Amino acid sequence: MPPEADFPSVAPGSDYDTVRRILAYITQNWRAQPTIEAIAEAAGATPTDVHHLFRRWCGLTPKAFLQAITLDHAKGLLGASASVLDTALEVGLSGPGRLHDLFVTHEAMSPGEWKAGGGGLALSYGFHASPFGEALVVATPRGLAGLGWVSDAVDGGKVVGGRAEALADMIRRWPHADYRFDPQATAPYAARIFDPKAWAAERPLRVVLIGTDFEVRVWETLLRIPVGRATTYGDVACHIGKPTASRAVGMAVGKNPISFVVPCHRVIGKSGALTGYHWGLTRKRAILGWEAGQTAA
């Protein structure tokens, strides 16, 4: 693996840099119900700056964004989670329930390819700006295979560090694959994924799922959760015919290599608590709030 210094620089998402500072402050001080003035001061900005930031970043006012990441709102998202999954089965992945969502067509690699740890698999990777900080995009000739994030202590999660740590986390999933730094190959994926205007049924995003049979079944189920809704680990377990396997489902959700596109962030605890996220709860809150803005639009 090349040293981090060998990676050409990418302009960071400055809006997300401020958003995550705000989220970190709110997470630590939510019991005090901080005012917009206090939040802005913690972010090193003015209340007016914060207002314009959120309108630009996700299309919501700061107040609406904060409401979108509360426990009560999360409980509301769960209101019809089972029927959401059932309806998705009936209408298919390109049905009207996914009007605001990425249109995805997917395939799974064979169990033999997964057991080989990606041996013989050519993977291109690149780092790209996104609404949620710097993203690591990994692709095969057959489609998108990985999407992770460059995280630090403010984001939290299991991959705290720089680009080298983000890449190492992805390499651990398929240690025998042939990795090549090729941002020109991965840039079209980043452009397609993070631009809602490019989400179109006639131009589906091709995704390749590389995991065990059980993991792939879980990930395929996650693809059926539309933007603006959420489900629980238990509901996913029931949906795949394993009602007692909530813990195993949780592990499979945590191993999802294609963040955001395969929306593991839309799986939450049955109480509405956001629970864990491989790339940190700060980022999970940011994604759910951003998606609320897309749904509102």
Side-chain angles (χ1 to χ4, degrees), residues 67-81:
Q67 289 174 341
I69 60 172
T70 63
L71 179 63
D72 286 343
H73 182 74
K75 289 179 179 178
L77 297 182
L78 291 174
S81 60

Side-chain angles (χ1 to χ4, degrees), residues 42-221:
T46 68
T48 299
D49 289 339
V50 171
H51 179 85
H52 289 313
L53 162 72
F54 277 95
R55 294 292 294 182
R56 179 175 64 247
W57 180 69
C58 68
L60 298 175
T61 65
K63 181 178 180 180
F65 176 84
L66 296 180
Q67 289 174 341
I69 60 172
T70 63
L71 179 63
D72 286 343
H73 182 74
K75 289 179 179 178
L77 297 182
L78 291 174
S81 60
S83 63
V84 164
L85 293 176
D86 292 342
T87 301
L89 275 178
E90 295 171 6
V91 303
L93 292 180
S94 296
R98 297 181 66 83
L99 180 62
H100 298 287
D101 214 342
L102 277 159
F103 292 87
V104 174
T105 179
H106 69 281
E107 63 174 296
M109 287 202 163
S110 71
E113 289 174 304
W114 174 80
K115 288 179 181 179
L121 181 64
L123 293 176
S124 301
Y125 71 91
F127 295 92
H128 305 277
S130 85
F132 317 108
E134 195 170 70
L136 167 62
V137 179
V138 180
T140 77
R142 292 152 63 176
L144 179 73
L147 174 58
W149 311 99
V150 178
S151 301
D152 64 15
V154 178
D155 300 297
K158 298 182 179 180
V159 194
V160 173
R163 293 175 180 169
E165 286 78 8
L167 179 59
D169 175 66
M170 200 66 71
I171 288 176
R172 280 191 293 270
R173 302 168 187 271
W174 315 297
H176 304 305
D178 177 23
Y179 292 83
R180 181 179 63 173
F181 182 65
D182 188 357
Q184 288 187 329
T186 53
Y189 287 101
R192 168 77 169 81
I193 291 165
F194 299 117
D195 180 7
K197 296 183 181 68
W199 300 354
E202 63 272 15
R203 197 159 55 88
L205 177 69
R206 293 194 59 80
V207 168
V208 179
L209 304 177
I210 310 174
T212 67
D213 288 344
F214 181 82
E215 289 169 349
V216 168
R217 288 176 65 193
V218 170
W219 301 339
E220 287 175 334
T221 301

Side-chain angles (χ1 to χ4, degrees), residues 165-296:
E165 286 78 8
L167 179 59
D169 175 66
M170 200 66 71
I171 288 176
R172 280 191 293 270
R173 302 168 187 271
W174 315 297
H176 304 305
D178 177 23
Y179 292 83
R180 181 179 63 173
F181 182 65
D182 188 357
Q184 288 187 329
T186 53
Y189 287 101
R192 168 77 169 81
I193 291 165
F194 299 117
D195 180 7
K197 296 183 181 68
W199 300 354
E202 63 272 15
R203 197 159 55 88
L205 177 69
R206 293 194 59 80
V207 168
V208 179
L209 304 177
I210 310 174
T212 67
D213 288 344
F214 181 82
E215 289 169 349
V216 168
R217 288 176 65 193
V218 170
W219 301 339
E220 287 175 334
T221 301
L222 302 186
L223 284 170
R224 302 183 186 279
I225 311 170
V227 164
R229 302 311 295 261
T231 193
T232 68
Y233 301 97
D235 282 340
V236 174
C238 290
H239 187 76
I240 64 173
K242 301 285 186 179
T244 62
S246 293
R247 186 178 295 273
V249 164
M251 293 179 64
V253 170
K255 291 181 179 179
N256 167 36
I258 312 179
S259 177
F260 186 72
V261 173
V262 179
C264 51
H265 58 277
R266 297 179 200 151
V267 184
I268 60 180
K270 61 182 179 180
S271 67
L274 295 189
T275 65
Y277 186 59
H278 188 78
W279 289 279
L281 283 179
T282 296
R283 186 168 274 113
K284 184 170 185 173
R285 289 187 177 95
I287 294 174
L288 288 171
W290 185 88
E291 288 188 338
Q294 307 311 306
T295 303

